[in-house]
Amino acid sequence: AQSVTQLDSQVPVFEEAPVELRCNYSSSVSVYLFWYVQYPNQGLQLLLKYLSGSTLVKGINGFEAEFNKSQTSFHLRKPSVHISDTAEYFCAVGSNFGNEKLTFGTGTRLTIIP
Amino acid sequence: EPEVTQTPSHQVTQMGQEVILRCVPISNHLYFYWYRQILGQKVEFLVSFYNNEISEKSEIFDDQFSVERPDGSNFTLKIRSTKLEDSAMYFCASSERTGGFYEQYFGPGTRLTVT
């Protein structure tokens, strides 16, 4: 069984400040890790993904995340946020061990303060 | 850029009524999924579908739910007799293939309100 924990339900950050959204996962098999963003009243958009290879992955809109197997983490970072980054961010885990479903965390609402 | 589309964007129905949520996956994709998100909660997997049959379903996906690919383009989720707790945003997703994990592309969702 897989699970994802996003400890921070809400993160307020001043504009142009850095941000880190935390994600920890649990799985008994090899995993693939994802961050999705959901803007108000919209669907889910993939920000970035880790499938294999380099543990530092870069995504759209200046976001990046680092896969840390020993700490079972996949934290999302951005060095300088903008008002347009205000959204809900979901971490998700998948595996190819017999199924391809995604297991999502509870989400982190990022609010940018002007 | 190809995208997954869903109709309607918002559906209001009375408890006990049947609803059909429609999705048009990306044309060359082979795997289809339904997820739901109850307001304020996380996105939950409902069912995956491949080669005209269910690959996997969650505990949520009971006998009240069914999925179908009635033609070469549509993928539908039917709730036979809706309950208040079925009120949620329903997302359809599709992926090109699996085995090594390929990105799932999500549609904009259908907000279902059961009164």
Side-chain angles (χ1 to χ4, degrees):
Chain A
Q2 300 167 125
S3 66
V4 177
T5 302
Q6 292 181 251
L7 288 174
D8 305 308
S9 60
Q10 297 189 59
V11 173
V13 180
F14 284 104
E15 193 173 13
E16 297 184 5
V19 68
E20 178 180 84
L21 305 183
R22 296 181 294 169
C23 172
N24 289 88
Y25 69 91
S26 172
S27 176
S28 58
V29 299
S30 296
V31 296
Y32 306 101
L33 293 157
F34 306 82
W35 276 98
Y36 282 85
V37 60
Q38 184 180 31
Y39 297 104
N41 301 312
Q42 294 188 29
L44 298 167
Q45 181 182 5
L46 182 68
L47 267 181
L48 47 79
K49 61 188 175 187
Y50 171 78
L51 302 182
S52 65
S54 173
T55 56
L56 181 64
V57 292
K58 295 187 184 297
I60 62 172
N61 302 339
F63 284 93
E64 64 179 32
E66 185 157 19
F67 170 58
N68 188 318
K69 188 174 182 180
S70 62
Q71 296 187 4
T72 60
S73 67
F74 191 56
H75 300 331
L76 180 70
R77 302 186 185 100
K78 186 170 183 178
S80 176
V81 295
H82 303 286
I83 290 288
S84 59
D85 293 323
T86 295
E88 189 92 18
Y89 292 80
F90 292 94
C91 182
V93 62
S95 78
N96 67 345
F97 191 70
N99 65 76
E100 297 78 36
K101 69 179 182 182
L102 291 175
T103 300
F104 285 83
T106 50
T108 297
R109 180 170 299 278
L110 177 62
T111 302
I112 308 303
I113 305 166
Chain B
E1 184 177 334
E3 58 182 17
V4 177
T5 59
Q6 290 185 244
T7 54
S9 58
H10 190 190
Q11 173 98 40
V12 181
T13 189
Q14 289 189 329
M15 192 168 52
Q17 295 297 304
E18 174 184 286
V19 294
I20 297 176
L21 310 183
R22 291 182 168 79
C23 167
V24 179
I26 294 172
S27 62
N28 64 333
H29 285 190
L30 301 176
Y31 290 81
F32 314 114
Y33 314 82
W34 283 102
Y35 293 81
R36 80 171 185 189
Q37 182 184 29
I38 295 173
L39 186 63
Q41 299 186 24
K42 65 180 178 181
V43 177
E44 302 172 289
F45 168 78
L46 290 178
V47 65
S48 59
F49 190 85
Y50 169 69
N51 200 25
N52 284 321
E53 60 183 28
I54 291 174
S55 299
E56 184 184 5
K57 59 184 181 180
S58 71
E59 295 175 351
I60 304 167
F61 195 89
D62 61 23
D63 292 343
Q64 295 296 318
F65 292 88
S66 63
V67 289
E68 190 179 30
R69 188 155 164 82
D71 53 43
S73 60
N74 289 284
F75 179 52
T76 62
L77 174 69
K78 181 191 291 185
I79 309 175
R80 188 165 49 151
S81 178
T82 51
K83 306 170 191 170
L84 293 176
E85 53 265 37
D86 294 328
S87 294
M89 181 74 90
Y90 289 80
F91 293 106
C92 173
S94 69
S95 69
E96 188 175 352
R97 55 175 289 187
T98 187
F101 219 104
Y102 285 76
E103 178 183 345
Q104 293 181 25
Y105 292 80
F106 283 79
T110 293
R111 181 169 299 284
L112 176 65
T113 302
V114 182
T115 61

